[in-house]
Amino acid sequence: MSANLPKRILKETERLVADSPPGIEAHPHEDNLRYFDVKIDGPGGSAFEGGIFKLELFLPEDYPMAPPKVRFLTKIYHPNIDKLGRICLDILKDKWSPALQIRTVLLSVQALLGAPNPDDPLANDVAQHYKDDEKGAIAVSKEWTQKYAV
Amino acid sequence: MSSDGDEMDYDDFEFEDDEGIEDDNGSQTSIGEAYDAFDDGVAGKPVKKDPWDISYQPKSVEELQEEQKVLVDRVCGLIDSDPSTAATLLRHYHWNPEKLSDKFWEEPAKTLHAAGLSPPSSPSSSTKPLPASNNAKASSSRSRLEPVPTESFECPICCLEFEPEEIASQTLSLGCEHRFCKGCWTEYLERKILDEQESGRVQCMEDGCGRVVGERTVIALVNDKAKDRYRVLLDRTYVDDSPQLKWCPHPGCEYAVFCKESPARKLDQIIPIVHCACGNDFCFGCGFANNHQPLTCRYVKLWQKKCADDSETGNWLMANTKECTKCNATIEKNGGCNHMTCKKCRYEFCWVCQGDWQSHGTSWYNCNRFDEKTGQDARDSQAKSRASLQRYLHYFNRWANHEQSAKLDHQLYQKTERKMEEMQNGSDLTWIEVQFVKRAADVLLEARMSLKWTYAMAFYMKKDLSTEIFEDNQANLEQAVEALSEMLEKPIDATTIMQLKSDMVNKTNYVKKRAEIILDDTLKGHYESRWKFTDRD
Ligand SMILES: [Zn+2]
Ligand SMILES: [Zn+2]
Ligand SMILES: [Zn+2]
Ligand SMILES: [Zn+2]
Ligand SMILES: [Zn+2]
Ligand SMILES: [Zn+2]
Ligand SMILES: [Zn+2]
C-alpha cells in the first residue's frame, strides 16, 4: 500500500505524527495509509470545551488536487455540521487549494468548533436554534458534548 | 523548452517601459462601436426601419475570436502590455478597452491587482522570486532573489525535489511568491479546465493567492484536449461578459448574436426578437427560444408561469378530440384549420368555441373576443372566480390551439409535398412551380405564432377603445389564417393544381399582409406605451 503512496502524503503523515498541532491527533490506518483516525479537542471557551471529537479523514486518489474527505464520527450539535457528521467548510469544497494540507484542514475544523456560523448552515434546524436562542442552543451543544464527546 | 520556465514567469505582466504609449490609428474600437456600420443595414442583414425595430448581427465562433484578437491588440497598444496580460485585463473590465486603459494609467498597480495580475516587482525579468524549499517560510524570504538559484527546490504540492539547474525548466511561478513544479501545474490546470469548466479566472495554486494564470501559460502546459476546451470556454466568457452579446439558445447552434441596443430598460416598449444564422429566432431580451411578438417579455414570463401552474391547462392539452355539439359523435382534429364538419350529422362548427361555423366566415366573426360582461355581472366571489377562469380559458384555448394547429399544418404540408413530388414525376411541373405550397406553409406558421401571442396579450390587456382595433385586427388575421389553413387540406391533382396555385398564392399574400398589420400596430403601441396592462393572475 505504501509503495505507491505519493511522496507528498508520506511527508505530511510523517510530520503530522511527529509534530501534531495542539489539540489535534491524526493516525493513518495500518492497512490503508490514505485513511486517518482523527481526534480534535473542543476549543477552550467554546460550547465544545472538554469534549474529544472523533473524525475520519480520507485522502482521495487525486489528493492533493482534490480536497480530503472529512467527517465527524462523534455526534455534535453545531450549525455547520449535520447529522451524518458532514462539515460545511469552504476549503473542503470550492475554496480548496492543493497547497493546503491535512494539518491546515484539521486546524480549520478546530476553528469552526470555536466559531459556529449559523448564517452558512448545513444543519438548518440547529442553525435556526442558534439564531433564535443562542443561549439555549449553546446549552444543548454543551449537553451533547458532555454526553457524546467523552 | 530550456528557458520557457523563466519566460513564463513574466508572461502575465510584460512591460516595455521604453516604448511609451502608442495609439496605432486613434480608432475607438470597443465592442459596441465596432458595429455602428451595421445600423445602416448591410445586404442580407436586418434593416432597421421603425424605431421599435432593433439592429443586430449573428456572430460565428471565428468572428468572436477575431474580435477578441482585435481588442487584445488594441489594449496591447494602449497600455503597452503583452497579449496575455491584455486579455486577462479585458476579461476583468468587461472587454471595454477605453475604460480599462483609463483605469490603468490612473492606478496601474491597483488595476493589475484587481484583475488577478500582480505588478512586476522589478522591470527586469531576470529577477523572479524563488521561494525557499520550505514553503511555510516562503513569504518571509522575499529578499532572497537570485538570478541563478544555488539551492535545490522542493515542490510544495508533490514534494518532489529539483536540482538548481532544473528549476528554470521544470518549475514555474506566476510572478507571485509561489513556485510549483510544472507537473503539478499541468495536473491542476487540466483539472480546472476539463472538470471544473474554468478558463479566464484560474488562480495560482497557493491558498488565497489571487494571481490569474495567463493564457500563454495555460497553452504551454496543458494537453490538446484541455487546450481545445480552454479556448471554447474563453470564447464563452467573452460572450457571457458582454451585455451586448448573447448565445443562441437553440440546441447545437454555435452562433452568438450581437445587439448593441441591449435594451434591458426598454423591454416594456420593445420586443427584441433576433433571427440567428442557424435559421431560428430567439428573444434578445429574455432568452425565449422563439419569436414571442407581439407580447412583451415580462408578460410572456407571467403567461408561461400561469399556464404551468394551472391544472385546467393540462387537461386541455390532453384533449385531441371533442364531441359534436349536435349528435355527440367523437371528432378528431387532423389539420390546422378550425372548421370542423361532423362526419355523422354534417354539422359544421368551430373547433375552438364549438359554435356554428356560419358566423365564422362573415364580418360577424366574434370567435376571438371574450365578453367581459360575464365577469362584471358576477355577484358573489364564486361567480367571480368562475368568470375569471372562463376568461382565462377563453384566451388559453386560442393560444394553445394555434400551437397545436401549427403542428398539424406542418404535417399536412409534408403530406402535400410528397404528393406533389409524385405528381412532378408524371408532369411538366417544375420544382419552382410547386414552391407556393412551401411558402404558404411558412407564412401560415409565422402568422399562427403571432396570433398565438396576441391571445396571451389580450388576457393581460385592459379593454378600451384602442383594444377594439386590436381585436378587429386579430379577427381579420384569424379568418385569413383559417382560410389559408383550409386550403392546405384541399386535395391536389393535376387538373386542379393551377387553380389551387393561384388561390393559394393570393391567400398567402393576404395572410402575410394581415400579419404585418397587426404586428406593426401592436409593436407601435408598445413603443408609444399605448396599451394598458394588468398583472392579473
Ligand atoms: Zn501565487
Ligand atoms: Zn509538484
Ligand atoms: Zn442559432
Ligand atoms: Zn423576450
Ligand atoms: Zn354531429
Ligand atoms: Zn377544415
Ligand atoms: Zn369559434
Side-chain angles (χ1 to χ4, degrees), chain A residues 3 35 73 98:
Chain A
Y35 187 87
L73 297 173

Coordinates of all heavy atoms in Angstrom, one line a residue, chain A residues 3 35 73 98:
Chain A
A3 N 3.8 1.5 -0.9 CA 4.7 1.5 -2.1 C 4.4 2.6 -3.1 O 5.2 3.3 -3.5 CB 4.8 0.1 -2.7
Y35 N -6.3 6.6 4.9 CA -7.4 6.7 5.8 C -6.9 7.0 7.2 O -6.1 6.3 7.8 CB -8.2 5.4 5.8 CG -9.5 5.5 6.6 CD1 -10.7 6.0 6.0 CD2 -9.6 5.2 7.9 CE1 -11.9 6.1 6.7 CE2 -10.7 5.3 8.7 CZ -11.9 5.7 8.0 OH -13.0 5.8 8.7
L73 N -17.3 11.7 13.5 CA -17.9 10.4 13.9 C -18.7 10.6 15.2 O -19.7 9.9 15.5 CB -16.9 9.3 14.0 CG -16.1 9.0 12.7 CD1 -15.0 8.0 13.0 CD2 -17.1 8.4 11.7
P98 N -4.5 23.1 -3.7 CA -3.6 21.9 -3.5 C -2.4 22.2 -2.6 O -1.8 21.3 -2.1 CB -3.1 21.6 -4.9 CG -3.5 22.7 -5.7 CD -4.6 23.4 -5.1

